Amino acid sequence: MPTEKLSSRAIVIGGGVAGKLSARVLADYFEEVMIIEKDHKQDQPQNRSGVPQGLHGHALLKSGEEILEEFFPGIIDELQDSGAVSANFSRDLAWFHHGSWKIRSHSQLMTIQQSRPFLEYHIQKRLQHISTVHSIYGAKPLRLVLDAKKTSIAGIEYQTEEGKVEEIDANLVIDASGAATFTTQWLKKNGIATPPIDEIQVNLCYASRAYEHLSPEDRDWKGLLVYPNPPHQIRGGGMYQIEANKWMVTLFGYGLDSPPKTDKEFLEHAAILDHPSFFGAIIDGKPASEVNIYRFPKMRRFRYEKMENLPNGLIVIGDALCRIDPVFAQGMSLSALEAKQLEKVLKQATKHQSLEAISKKAHQEFQRVLSIPWLIASIEDFRFPHTTGNRFFGLSFLQGYIKRVMLACSDNQIVYEKFMNVLHLKAHPATLFAPKMIKSILFKTVTPRHNLDKEKVIRS
């Protein structure tokens, strides 16, 4: 922690995961951190209107979990003590993908499972212990306040819950407002060119509901994934155990005319997935909520690092910066990785006691984090016939090789371990192209199963 602060105040727009983690980082470098949040304070775990995706399945990848523990030491134990479910990723997850089950065995990769509101609530509780972090709830940000030359941030203007317009000064503003970000509109109003945008139209829809319990049958997993096998299958689903002994069940589809909305439609969607295990798990289950719908039309990435006239002191993070297909469950963990890069940039700034070029440096670091997850999601999403966007050179080769990786994960524990580390954003995909890996993947070398004969393993 630096002994001298960079400035008196920083502002965070948005109190979601990206906003909370940004505030935690900023607290070490600024005398005061203000979070402008349009929702009200939550006194218990419950979904906020500003997070419509919060009612659906979420996963915190291992990379995100490790950063969360670093920012808030002891929080993983707190989550588990409060009901989060500990799971061994390869042993406790039954995953049907590209027409085969991934191998089930004990791995070194342990994760925790919980709902999004549960996780946010516990992060908020820890954030409240930091005396320099304050939140203004029920507030709507209205515009950026810039200096006279429009080259630097001077603060923001916002509207209180009572309708009063206030202005608050700051040398750094973090936009963590999610998909509803207004930053590009604010820049336009100031006569500033907006950043280039990368977009891939995926036309994804979600339908989710919580269950009190699943069908009354023995099962040896804490999570079940049945992914589509494109281009012929465009539907998939996932379920996993969460706090309070409940289950979160999410169905999804690409290019569907209409997502399942009723009890009957929900079961009908599950019945035509690539494997009957999903339908069998919920046919006699007891729902604990209504069916909730969420639409994700496109992946979107703003390239702020390419702007020459971005006002210094303005940083965009989380879904406000980049939205990747949520089926890959990377959103919260990417926000955590970006927060770590923010910390890196601020640490460097502290050495020089200057915020000069802080926006440029931060966005350059963010794009280094985002480039690989964006590429991986693009490779998979372009398998679906409804996906539109700029296809890149080498796409067909990568799709073919990655499919071979998936198939090798059905009987090669070493390949699956490597793939899990890439999936959890702990290793670069280049590790899958090492000579030994290529041999194992292309020729599907089978490795020992480590006493798996004594375990019940799901097979078609």
Side-chain angles (χ1 to χ4, degrees), residues 92-94 104 214 219-224 239 247 281 458:
D92 296 327
L93 175 66
R104 301 275 303 285
L214 301 182
R219 59 183 55 86
D220 67 341
W221 43 262
K222 298 177 182 179
L224 172 65
M239 66 180 76
W247 291 81
I458 294 181

Side-chain angles (χ1 to χ4, degrees), residues 20 26 69 119 149 159 166 239 262 285 310 317-318 343 375 424 456:
K20 287 178 171 64
L26 293 171
E69 178 69 17
L119 179 62
K149 296 181 179 179
Q159 187 177 52
E166 303 273 4
M239 66 180 76
T262 66
L310 181 67
I317 199 169
E343 181 183 56
L375 175 64
H424 283 263
K456 180 181 176 183

Side-chain angles (χ1 to χ4, degrees), residues 92-340:
D92 296 327
L93 175 66
W95 187 355
F96 193 74
H97 194 189
H98 284 292
S100 64
W101 290 105
K102 295 197 183 335
I103 194 170
R104 301 275 303 285
S105 63
H106 183 83
S107 73
Q108 300 302 311
L109 207 156
M110 298 296 298
T111 60
I112 52 171
Q113 301 175 175
Q114 62 276 304
S115 67
R116 169 76 176 259
F118 182 88
L119 179 62
E120 281 203 27
Y121 172 72
H122 282 274
I123 297 175
Q124 179 61 42
K125 283 204 320 182
R126 292 297 296 268
L127 202 58
Q128 289 172 181
H129 293 310
I130 303 176
S131 61
T132 55
V133 177
H134 308 283
S135 295
I136 302 175
Y137 294 101
K140 177 183 177 182
L142 299 177
R143 68 179 182 92
L144 298 172
V145 178
L146 305 179
D147 65 0
K149 296 181 179 179
K150 297 186 178 181
T151 58
S152 297
I153 282 290
I156 71 162
E157 185 179 85
Y158 69 95
Q159 187 177 52
T160 67
E161 190 174 11
E162 295 76 27
K164 187 178 180 182
V165 175
E166 303 273 4
E167 187 175 304
I168 183 169
D169 63 291
N171 299 111
L172 188 72
V173 171
I174 304 282
D175 178 7
S177 59
T181 174
F182 287 102
T183 291
T184 54
Q185 291 94 315
W186 291 335
L187 291 175
K188 283 181 182 178
K189 288 182 179 178
N190 280 284
I192 300 171
T194 55
I197 306 175
D198 297 333
E199 291 184 337
I200 298 175
Q201 198 82 24
V202 297
N203 295 315
L204 170 69
C205 63
Y206 267 21
S208 299
R209 70 190 319 180
Y211 275 72
E212 290 285 355
H213 59 76
L214 301 182
S215 301
E217 59 183 48
D218 292 335
R219 59 183 55 86
D220 67 341
W221 43 262
K222 298 177 182 179
L224 172 65
L225 294 176
V226 177
Y227 270 32
N229 192 4
H232 306 295
Q233 174 63 279
I234 60 172
R235 302 168 189 258
M239 66 180 76
Y240 62 99
Q241 194 174 17
I242 59 173
E243 70 275 4
N245 293 315
K246 292 184 179 180
W247 291 81
M248 176 60 70
V249 179
T250 295
L251 298 170
F252 61 88
Y254 293 86
L256 295 182
D257 292 331
S258 178
K261 299 182 180 69
T262 66
D263 294 354
K264 180 183 177 183
E265 291 173 347
F266 199 81
L267 290 174
E268 287 175 345
H269 183 119
I272 59 175
L273 298 188
D274 255 13
H275 198 278
S277 58
F278 198 100
F279 177 73
I282 64 172
I283 180 59
D284 295 317
K286 181 182 178 182
S289 73
E290 298 297 319
V291 178
N292 297 288
I293 304 298
Y294 180 68
R295 296 181 183 276
F296 183 89
K298 59 188 174 184
M299 301 209 311
R300 182 187 68 185
R301 176 170 58 158
F302 291 104
R303 307 303 299 267
Y304 285 99
E305 82 283 3
K306 295 185 176 183
M307 291 183 62
E308 297 297 331
N309 57 347
L310 181 67
N312 192 47
L314 173 62
I315 296 175
V316 185
I317 199 169
D319 278 3
L321 174 64
C322 178
R323 300 184 75 202
I324 291 178
D325 184 340
V327 167
F328 296 90
Q330 296 174 325
M332 296 190 298
S333 297
L334 285 176
S335 292
L337 287 164
E338 290 164 9
K340 276 297 295 180

